[in-house]
């Protein structure tokens, strides 16, 4: 079995809403024939003493100590097929339950303990699941029913306004030319690889929400639905 993905630079864990935490880290991977280095985010939801991780980002020892101070990791949730390199680290370290869509590509050494489905059990209470039906690579969004609706997304909803300290300069130049740094955006690499169709976003327009925590970019706090609806209209004329 391969070793865990290396620890990469990341920021502190920040509490954005009560019991909802956010941390930005780093990813390096090959896209479109070149190596990219850019930021990615992990969201943590606390219920009592239990923690649920979305879009896992491996933390260093100081970060893990801060995580352990919040509670016990009991769930690791993979929302998008293009993420997941750090899932096994957290599942093994905490003996946590692993959640993913049934048809996701799962790394060696992992198994899905609980399959994510729109009408099935979910890892956190007072939540619902939106599943994209038209995509080539599985993707979903979990909605928390609080504060007007909080969407926890992976690659579908993004909010990269500007590059941050976790980017490599060459990657910034490439991504600027491809339109990645656009507020309330749909992930360009995800759009290219998954080819979602308008009918998914027609359904998504019916889901009310005020805020969005994305796999890439800063959280959208307030008026998120209106901002994303403008993006849907621009890209799909809906």
């Amino acid at each position: 079995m391969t070793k865990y993905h290396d620890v990469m630079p990341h920021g502190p864990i920040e509490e954005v809403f009560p019991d909802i935490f956010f941390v930005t880290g780093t990813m390096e991977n090959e896209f479109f024939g070149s190596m990219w280095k850019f930021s990615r985010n992990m969201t943590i939801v606390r219920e009592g003493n239990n923690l649920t991780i979305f879009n896992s980002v491996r933390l260093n020892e100081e970060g893990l100590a801060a995580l352990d101070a919040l509670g016990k990791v009991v769930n690791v949730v993979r929302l998008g097929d293009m993420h997941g390199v750090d899932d096994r680290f957290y599942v093994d370290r905490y003996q946590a339950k692993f959640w993913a869509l049934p048809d996701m590509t799962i790394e060696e050494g992992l198994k899905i303990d609980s399959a994510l489905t729109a009408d099935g059990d979910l890892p956190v209470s007072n939540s619902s699941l939106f599943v994209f039906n038209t995509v080539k690579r599985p993707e979903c969004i979990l909605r928390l029913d609080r504060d007007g609706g909080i969407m926890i997304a992976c690659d579908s909803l993004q909010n990269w306004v500007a590059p941050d300290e976790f980017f490599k300069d060459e990657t910034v130049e490439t991504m600027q030319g491809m339109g990645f740094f656009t507020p309330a955006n749909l992930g360009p690499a995800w759009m290219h690889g998954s080819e979602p169709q308008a009918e998914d976003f027609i359904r998504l327009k019916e889901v009310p929400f005020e805020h969005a925590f994305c796999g890439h970019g800063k959280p959208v706090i307030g008026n998120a639905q209106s901002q994303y609806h403008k993006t849907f209209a621009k890209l799909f004329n809906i």
Side-chain angles (χ1 to χ4, degrees), residues 11 20 26-27 40 48 53 56 71 73 95 99 101 132 137 190 192 194-195 197 211:
I20 301 180
T26 310
M27 186 61 193
R40 58 182 171 129
I53 285 175
S56 63
V73 175
Q95 298 301 295
W99 301 70
L101 291 169
F132 289 89
R137 300 186 66 171
W190 176 73
H192 175 83
S194 290
E195 299 181 8
Q197 302 301 305
H211 321 285

Side-chain angles (χ1 to χ4, degrees), residues 7 10-13 59-69 93:
V7 178
H10 63 80
I13 299 173
L59 303 175
N60 58 26
E61 290 303 316
E62 181 181 358
L64 290 172
L67 178 68
D68 292 339
R93 178 181 174 89

Side-chain angles (χ1 to χ4, degrees), residues 20-41:
I20 301 180
F21 305 86
F22 194 75
V23 56
T24 298
T26 310
M27 186 61 193
E28 189 166 16
N29 206 351
E30 182 177 344
F31 290 97
F32 307 112
S34 63
M35 291 300 297
W36 293 19
K37 188 175 183 180
F38 51 91
S39 62
R40 58 182 171 129
N41 306 317

